[in-house]
């Protein structure tokens, strides 16, 4: 038989590698930013167009590359970060595999401009699909500029799998935030479609967090700092009252590298035990510095997973450190058996001698000695016995007719007897129908009712709005503010009224009539979370997703007790819906049990 195993061409191998390294435009942003940091840049600019599908450009003022290095950087496994296998356990750089630029160049048009400080001219390379188009000397500033254009141009299937511009932009913002938070000593700027998104100056960690998440974040931060032989932990957690219903503001960094670790995340959550409401999660920015030989980074192509030598000890240290800081700053109650601040000597009495307390004893006191009972004296005397009937004398002449107040339950008995709805386990509404019995899921049914009401308000008629007596100011980060601006018109169509919208705050002047003021923050946060994860490009899908998100947040929850009128209201409104048999998310709202099926159960 002929030989069938063969080596793949380089451009095919690069495209296969790109499938692991470059999953979406945000992956390119991450790799290019990390290369700029490894080049010892102090200022980095990110320029993005059309959510990275048209252009991703990173410009830095780092040390640049020579003409030979610039060409060699696009070869697979070409790197300046490591030289031997042992270097994998002594990493001080972001990259080390030498795959990023080769993978990116295999699926895009890449323009590279770079110059070293001691050179008069720099190099300019143009590469398309792993093919070198041109290389020439040019005048360019010190540093490197990498422009990635037309991502996935030669893999249309991968391009079709990309989400909407809103979602892809959100992923890019997330990657930018992670890199910027890890390096507050570097100035970052971010422009999307010619609009400035971030302009971050060099500062300390607290200043960088506030610059990214908004000025209101400063008052929420509780500092963390602990040094042990195994790890140094520093950073911030937020106070429990500012916990959120989403996890997207939880940041772990190990040796200035963003990681995801569910085990360490549980350590932080357990430190907040009994301090958070159900369904809420703490926000934190924690920086762990560990010896490089105690971790393994070479696990996943994205380098967001790390293996630790002693993960259990690290868990215990992290949990106790967070718990200690919460107690130290009076965020959580603590037990201190050595000192009670309430028993401290007042400052103005320190150094003075206090007399010993005197004990006075009454030797004649006997608790068992009987005393003569004295009659109780009343301060008044009733002169004449009054008959209570006399209070009603003369009332007949007014035309008032007083009847016996004996309870008449005939009305309630009749209503109960005629009622055909019952609530079971505070979850289902049971109602009898001609053919048998119908079981209605109250949460899913209410979702369907609210969904169609919101959809009608947004698309057909103007919704009712109630003005707030005191406008409500809500704080969000810049990315969330941008999303709110995009859907502002749709929110107003369902009853919201907005005042001033700044870079990190919005002012709510009014809200829909069926929403409580305390629900506004949670509702908008849930809506933004749904938009980030699953909203297509069409305008109707914007409206549809908004109606779904609002109905999910405001629907009656499982476990809520409903009175008879509320049960009947849900049943009646559900069967007036255009599609009563399913929720907005495709789940069944009710099931029916035929009377014949019930008879068979008893006849078996």
């Amino acid at each position: 038989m002929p030989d069938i195993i063969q080596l793949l061409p380089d451009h095919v191998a690069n495209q296969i590698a790109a499938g692991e390294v470059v999953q979406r435009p945000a992956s390119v942003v991450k790799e290019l930013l990390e290369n700029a940091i490894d080049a010892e840049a102090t200022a980095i600019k990110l320029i993005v167009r059309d959510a990275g599908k048209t252009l991703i450009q990173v410009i830095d003022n780092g040390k640049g590359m020579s003409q030979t290095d610039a060409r060699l950087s696009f070869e697979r496994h070409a790197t300046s970060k490591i030289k031997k296998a042992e270097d994998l356990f002594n990493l001080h750089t972001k990259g080390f595999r030498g795959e990023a630029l080769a993978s990116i160049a295999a699926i895009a048009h890449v323009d590279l401009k770079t110059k070293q400080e001691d050179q008069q001219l720099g190099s300019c390379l143009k590469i398309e699909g792993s093919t070198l188009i041109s290389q020439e000397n040019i005048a360019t500033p010190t540093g490197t500029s990498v422009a990635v254009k037309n991502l996935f141009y030669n893999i249309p299937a991968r391009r079709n799998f990309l989400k909407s511009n809103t979602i892809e932009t959100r992923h890019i913002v997330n990657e930018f935030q992670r890199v910027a938070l890890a390096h507050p000593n570097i100035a970052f700027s971010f422009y999307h479609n010619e609009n400035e998104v971030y302009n971050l100056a060099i500062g300390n960690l607290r200043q960088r967090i506030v610059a990214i998440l908004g000025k209101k974040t400063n008052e929420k931060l509780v500092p963390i700092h602990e040094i042990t032989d195994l790890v140094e932990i520093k950073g911030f957690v937020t106070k429990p009252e500012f916990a959120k219903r989403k996890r997207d503001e939880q940041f772990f960094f190990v040796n200035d590298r963003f990681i995801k670790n569910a085990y360490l995340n549980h350590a932080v959550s357990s430190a907040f035990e009994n301090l958070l409401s159900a369904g809420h999660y703490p926000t934190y920015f924690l920086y762990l510095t560990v010896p490089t030989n105690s971790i393994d980074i070479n696990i996943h192509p994205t380098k967001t997973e790390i293996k630790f030598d002693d993960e259990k000890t690290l868990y215990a240290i992290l949990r106790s450190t967070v718990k200690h800081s919460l107690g130290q700053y009076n965020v959580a109650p603590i037990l201190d058996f050595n000192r009670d601040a309430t028993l401290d000597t007042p400052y103005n009495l320190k150094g003075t001698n206090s007399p010993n307390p005197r004990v006075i004893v009454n030797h004649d006191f006997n608790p068992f000695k009987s005393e003569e009972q004295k009659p109780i004296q009343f301060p008044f005397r009733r002169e004449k016995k009054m008959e209570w009937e006399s209070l009603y004398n003369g009332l007949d002449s007014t035309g008032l007719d007083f009847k016996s107040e004996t309870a008449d339950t005939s009305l309630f008995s009749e209503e109960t007897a005629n009622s055909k709805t019952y609530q079971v386990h505070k979850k289902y509404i049971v109602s009898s129908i001609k053919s048998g019995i119908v079981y209605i899921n109250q949460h899913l049914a209410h979702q369907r009712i609210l969904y169609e009401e919101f959809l009608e308000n947004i698309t057909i008629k103007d919704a009712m709005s109630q003005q707030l007596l005191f406008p409500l100011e809500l704080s969000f980060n810049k990315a969330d503010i941008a999303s709110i601006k995009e859907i502002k018109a749709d929110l107003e169509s369902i009853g919201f009224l907005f005042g001033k919208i700044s870079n990190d705050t919005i002012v709510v002047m009014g809200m829909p009539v069926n929403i409580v003021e305390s629900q506004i923050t949670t509702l908008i946060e849930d809506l933004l979370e749904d938009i980030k994860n699953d909203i297509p490009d069409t305008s109707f899908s914007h409206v549809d997703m908004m109606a779904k998100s609002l109905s999910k947040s405001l629907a009656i929850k499982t476990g809520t007790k409903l009175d008879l009128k509320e049960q009947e209201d849900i049943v009646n409104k559900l069967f007036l819906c255009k599609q009563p048999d399913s929720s907005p998310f495709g789940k069944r709202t009710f099931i029916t049990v035929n009377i014949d099926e019930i008879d068979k159960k008893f006849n078996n």
Side-chain angles (χ1 to χ4, degrees), residues 367-377:
F368 302 101
K369 183 179 180 180
S370 61
E371 297 183 1
E372 295 182 1
Q373 298 291 332
K374 296 181 180 180
I376 300 175
Q377 298 293 331

Side-chain angles (χ1 to χ4, degrees), residues 553-564:
S553 300
L554 297 175
I556 295 172
K557 300 296 187 290
T558 298
T560 303
K561 186 177 182 180
L562 305 177
D563 59 30
L564 186 63

Side-chain angles (χ1 to χ4, degrees), residues 504-517:
D504 53 8
T505 58
I506 63 171
V507 177
V508 181
M509 309 289 292
M511 61 185 184
V513 293
N514 54 347
I515 295 177
V516 182
E517 183 176 346

Side-chain angles (χ1 to χ4, degrees), residues 112 186 204 321 343 426 463:
L112 171 68
I186 300 176
N204 58 35
T321 300
L343 300 180
K426 298 181 183 180

Side-chain angles (χ1 to χ4, degrees), residues 86-92 228-232 254-255 261 264 288-299 305-314:
E86 289 76 11
D87 292 342
L88 289 173
F89 298 96
N90 189 27
L91 291 173
H92 298 278
T228 68
D229 294 337
L230 181 66
V231 60
E232 177 184 359
V254 174
N255 295 354
N261 192 302
L264 297 184
L288 282 63
T289 303
V290 299
T292 55
N293 59 1
S294 67
I295 57 174
D296 185 4
I297 303 171
N298 190 27
I299 295 197
E305 297 180 13
I306 289 182
K307 291 294 183 182
F308 297 91
D309 281 352
D310 194 352
E311 206 167 31
K312 291 184 178 180
T313 304
L314 190 61

Side-chain angles (χ1 to χ4, degrees), residues 46 57 88 90 95 131 215 332 398 440 482 488 520 595 598 602:
L46 171 63
Q57 185 175 10
L88 289 173
N90 189 27
T131 302
K215 58 185 178 181
T398 62
I440 301 173
K488 179 174 178 284
I520 293 179
I595 193 69
I598 299 176
F602 286 97

Side-chain angles (χ1 to χ4, degrees), residues 342-499:
T342 61
L343 300 180
D344 287 350
T345 304
Y347 182 79
N348 58 345
L349 296 180
K350 285 186 176 181
T352 61
N353 295 323
S354 300
N356 294 328
R358 297 176 58 192
V359 179
I360 301 176
V361 179
N362 183 4
H363 298 284
D364 296 329
F365 174 74
N366 185 356
F368 302 101
K369 183 179 180 180
S370 61
E371 297 183 1
E372 295 182 1
Q373 298 291 332
K374 296 181 180 180
I376 300 175
Q377 298 293 331
F378 292 96
F380 62 87
R381 167 173 266 180
R382 183 176 295 175
E383 299 294 337
K384 182 179 179 181
K385 184 179 180 181
M386 297 180 63
E387 300 294 338
W388 66 269
E389 292 89 347
S390 63
L391 297 173
Y392 297 93
N393 290 339
L395 290 179
D396 292 339
S397 61
T398 62
L400 296 177
D401 184 16
F402 288 86
K403 295 183 179 180
S404 171
E405 295 185 1
T406 304
D408 183 6
T409 59
S410 61
L411 176 64
F412 301 97
S413 301
E414 181 181 356
E415 183 178 346
T416 303
N418 294 335
S419 173
K420 294 183 179 180
T421 62
Y422 307 91
Q423 190 180 25
V424 179
H425 295 300
K426 298 181 183 180
K427 184 175 183 180
Y428 301 106
I429 299 174
V430 182
S431 180
S432 60
I433 55 178
K434 291 182 179 180
S435 60
I437 298 175
V438 60
Y439 294 87
I440 301 173
N441 186 305
Q442 65 185 39
H443 177 63
L444 299 179
H446 200 214
Q447 279 187 9
R448 165 55 61 179
I449 295 167
L450 293 176
Y451 169 71
E452 294 199 3
E453 287 179 356
F454 283 126
L455 205 58
E456 184 180 12
N457 289 336
I458 297 173
T459 57
I460 299 177
K461 62 183 183 181
D462 294 332
M464 298 292 292
S465 179
Q466 55 182 340
Q467 195 85 9
L468 292 176
L469 182 60
F470 300 102
L472 188 63
E473 185 175 309
L474 305 178
S475 178
F476 295 95
N477 60 46
K478 290 185 178 181
D480 288 340
I481 292 293
S483 299
I484 291 173
K485 288 180 178 179
E486 290 182 8
I487 60 174
K488 179 174 178 284
D490 293 330
L491 287 171
E492 290 175 339
S493 67
I494 62 174
F496 280 100
L497 296 176
F498 295 102

Side-chain angles (χ1 to χ4, degrees), residues 560-587:
T560 303
K561 186 177 182 180
L562 305 177
D563 59 30
L564 186 63
K565 185 177 180 181
E566 291 171 331
Q567 296 172 29
E568 293 177 344
D569 187 57
I570 287 181
V571 174
N572 294 333
K573 287 185 177 180
L574 175 63
F575 291 103
L576 287 175
C577 291
K578 296 179 180 179
Q579 193 176 346
D581 57 337
S582 65
S583 74
F585 301 94
K587 296 183 179 179

